[in-house]
Amino acid sequence: MFSGLGDFLTSGTSWAFFIFALLAIGGAIFMISFTKVVHMVVAVALTFISLAGLYVILEAEFVAFVQVLIYAGAISILMIFGIMMTKHRQGEDEGPKRPWHEGLAILGAVGLFGVLFYAIQKSTFVSSGALDAGKDNTLEIGKLLYNVHVIPFEIMSVLLTVAFIGAIVVAKREED
């Protein structure tokens, strides 16, 4: 594929991957670092959009479109509505600070990184064969979704609608 590290670093796809990966990781870090809930939602939306960019690089355009439409759009808006419908108190005390919690979290993150790095280095990856780029993946997904898996798809839509209505009822009940 690439003859060396120089070719890898000069590839536009590689640079796009690095940028989207850094944005996704940065959005995730910002999400857990921010204290305001609205800022957290914006950071999660950045992560979702970055993942959609990674899907485009992988030539999974339909998955990228669904990622932007469902997650970056609908889920982020749903989170914003949830924030607006609930009460948030500003200036609450978080309790006693424990500085060793941050040290343990950093130690755990470094340990997890080490285990993942070791596992990836020792793994052998096999080639899955040639990619048929001319095949219409979106058509095949649609056929499977609306022919084979139509009942679970409809049950999931009803379940999500009931959950959303239930969340509105619970939020309104707390106001009264």
Side-chain angles (χ1 to χ4, degrees):
M1 184 174 196
F2 293 109
S3 62
L5 183 62
D7 291 338
F8 181 72
L9 292 177
T10 58
S11 169
T13 305
S14 299
W15 283 107
F17 172 79
F18 286 134
I19 290 170
F20 285 129
L22 286 175
L23 285 173
I25 293 169
I29 290 172
F30 286 144
M31 191 278 190
I32 61 174
S33 300
F34 287 148
T35 56
K36 294 186 185 267
V37 183
V38 175
H39 295 164
M40 290 177 182
V41 171
V42 172
V44 167
L46 172 68
T47 303
F48 288 153
I49 291 172
S50 302
L51 289 176
L54 289 173
Y55 290 140
V56 169
I57 292 172
L58 292 172
E59 297 179 3
E61 292 85 9
F62 177 73
V63 179
F65 174 73
V66 170
Q67 178 77 22
V68 170
L69 186 69
I70 301 298
Y71 286 104
I75 299 297
S76 297
I77 296 298
L78 188 63
M79 288 181 195
I80 297 282
F81 283 150
I83 292 166
M84 291 180 352
M85 293 175 67
T86 58
K87 295 179 184 176
H88 294 281
R89 295 184 203 99
Q90 295 290 347
E92 284 186 3
D93 291 333
E94 296 179 9
K97 293 279 185 181
R98 297 184 180 120
W100 52 274
H101 278 205
E102 290 180 9
L104 285 176
I106 291 171
L107 183 66
V110 169
L112 177 64
F113 176 77
V115 168
L116 290 175
F117 184 77
Y118 177 76
I120 290 171
Q121 292 298 319
K122 294 297 179 184
S123 297
T124 57
F125 298 98
V126 294
S127 178
S128 63
L131 172 69
D132 183 16
K135 190 173 182 181
D136 190 4
N137 292 333
T138 309
L139 179 64
E140 294 302 318
I141 290 172
K143 285 180 182 177
L144 281 173
L145 190 61
Y146 290 114
N147 290 333
V148 178
H149 303 293
V150 69
I151 300 299
F153 179 76
E154 292 300 325
I155 290 173
M156 185 58 89
S157 67
V158 170
L159 180 66
L160 288 173
T161 304
V162 169
F164 185 65
I165 292 171
I168 292 172
V169 169
V170 168
K172 290 295 181 185
R173 190 175 300 158
E174 287 179 359
E175 284 182 5
D176 297 337

